[in-house]
Amino acid sequence: MSKFLKSLVVVVTTATAVPALAGEGGHFGLGRAATPDEISAWDIDIRPDGAGLPEGRGTVAQGEEIFTEQCAVCHGDFGEGTGRWPVLAGGQGTLTHERPEKTIGSYWPYLSTVYDYVRRAMPYGNARSMTDDEVYALTAYLLYLNDIVTDEEFELSRENFTEIHLPNEANFIEDGRPDEPFNEKKTPLCMTDCKDSAVEVTMRARILDVTPGSADNDGAAGGAVD
């Protein structure tokens, strides 16, 4: 028997030797229970109703300094985006255009999305390096760039966070597909001969180019979609 087959035998034998789950809540004896500190480090999501927000506060003026030092190199001095990096401000009234500008002020639904994303993913290449106060300040400055607040001394905190509503919030609705008659009946999906005429491609999506990269290099720019 070859060494390869012998190794397969060992794997199969070992796998069949694993004990069955010890009833509901049983386990394979792998790993250990996470500690409260570990769970706290992972549990950082922020909900639209403010659940999960940490204590802290920061002003527009403080956020401008942070943005200039850590964000403007990619997003521009005023959130306009540099090169192919994301635009953060402007775009109001463009959602019905052929090429809408989806920014915090024109498209995003909740301020919690801004805080949560900045807190866990920014600045690019150095995520989780900012304090909670700095994230509050930076979020306040992004509100200012989008004309949602106009006072440079405005201070965002856990206490007033849920009082801020982004302009496009009302245009986001719950997914109603589970309540549609077709889904309520739980009828099987049609898989064959579902259309009387031949299926034809009637439209092709434009090249998306959503990832920063070379405009002449589809691979670097996120690729093309037909």
Side-chain angles (χ1 to χ4, degrees):
M1 184 181 295
S2 69
K3 291 182 179 179
F4 175 73
L5 291 178
K6 286 181 179 179
S7 66
L8 287 180
V9 171
V10 170
V11 171
V12 172
T13 302
T14 303
T16 55
V18 175
L21 293 178
E24 186 176 350
H27 57 84
F28 290 107
L30 302 176
R32 59 171 176 77
T35 67
D37 286 342
E38 289 170 336
I39 295 174
S40 177
W42 294 324
D43 186 19
I44 64 171
D45 60 295
I46 311 297
R47 294 197 326 212
D49 62 359
L53 279 170
E55 292 290 346
R57 59 191 62 247
T59 67
V60 170
Q62 292 168 336
E64 182 178 14
E65 294 182 9
I66 299 170
F67 189 90
T68 300
E69 293 176 359
Q70 303 202 52
C71 313
V73 65
C74 295
H75 297 293
D77 292 331
F78 304 102
E80 74 279 12
T82 61
R84 299 164 66 81
W85 292 98
V87 179
L88 301 179
Q92 286 83 349
T94 69
L95 295 186
T96 57
H97 295 182
E98 182 180 0
R99 296 295 299 270
E101 196 72 77
K102 296 181 178 181
T103 72
I104 293 168
S106 71
Y107 176 72
W108 289 35
Y110 306 114
L111 187 59
S112 58
T113 310
V114 181
Y115 190 99
D116 185 274
Y117 185 77
V118 171
R119 187 188 189 199
R120 71 173 66 239
M122 294 288 111
Y124 182 72
N126 196 22
R128 302 301 305 278
S129 63
M130 292 189 291
T131 66
D132 292 333
D133 285 343
E134 288 174 328
V135 179
Y136 273 111
L138 193 51
T139 304
Y141 182 62
L142 292 172
L143 289 174
Y144 182 80
L145 286 180
N146 283 279
D147 298 321
I148 298 169
V149 300
T150 57
D151 183 0
E152 292 186 9
E153 297 307 314
F154 169 78
E155 183 178 71
L156 183 66
S157 66
R158 183 179 182 181
E159 287 66 36
N160 66 359
F161 194 93
T162 56
E163 298 173 10
I164 306 296
H165 295 275
L166 300 189
N168 197 42
E169 177 180 341
N171 291 320
F172 279 80
I173 60 175
E174 294 185 5
D175 187 350
R177 285 174 294 180
D179 299 326
E180 292 179 357
F182 178 84
N183 291 317
E184 285 185 339
K185 293 178 182 178
K186 302 292 190 297
T187 55
L189 295 176
C190 178
M191 302 300 291
T192 59
D193 301 324
C194 305
K195 186 175 173 62
D196 295 335
S197 58
V199 177
E200 298 179 1
V201 176
T202 59
M203 184 179 296
R204 294 181 183 274
R206 66 178 71 250
I207 295 177
L208 297 180
D209 293 339
V210 295
T211 304
S214 170
D216 299 323
N217 185 339
D218 284 344
V225 175
D226 275 343

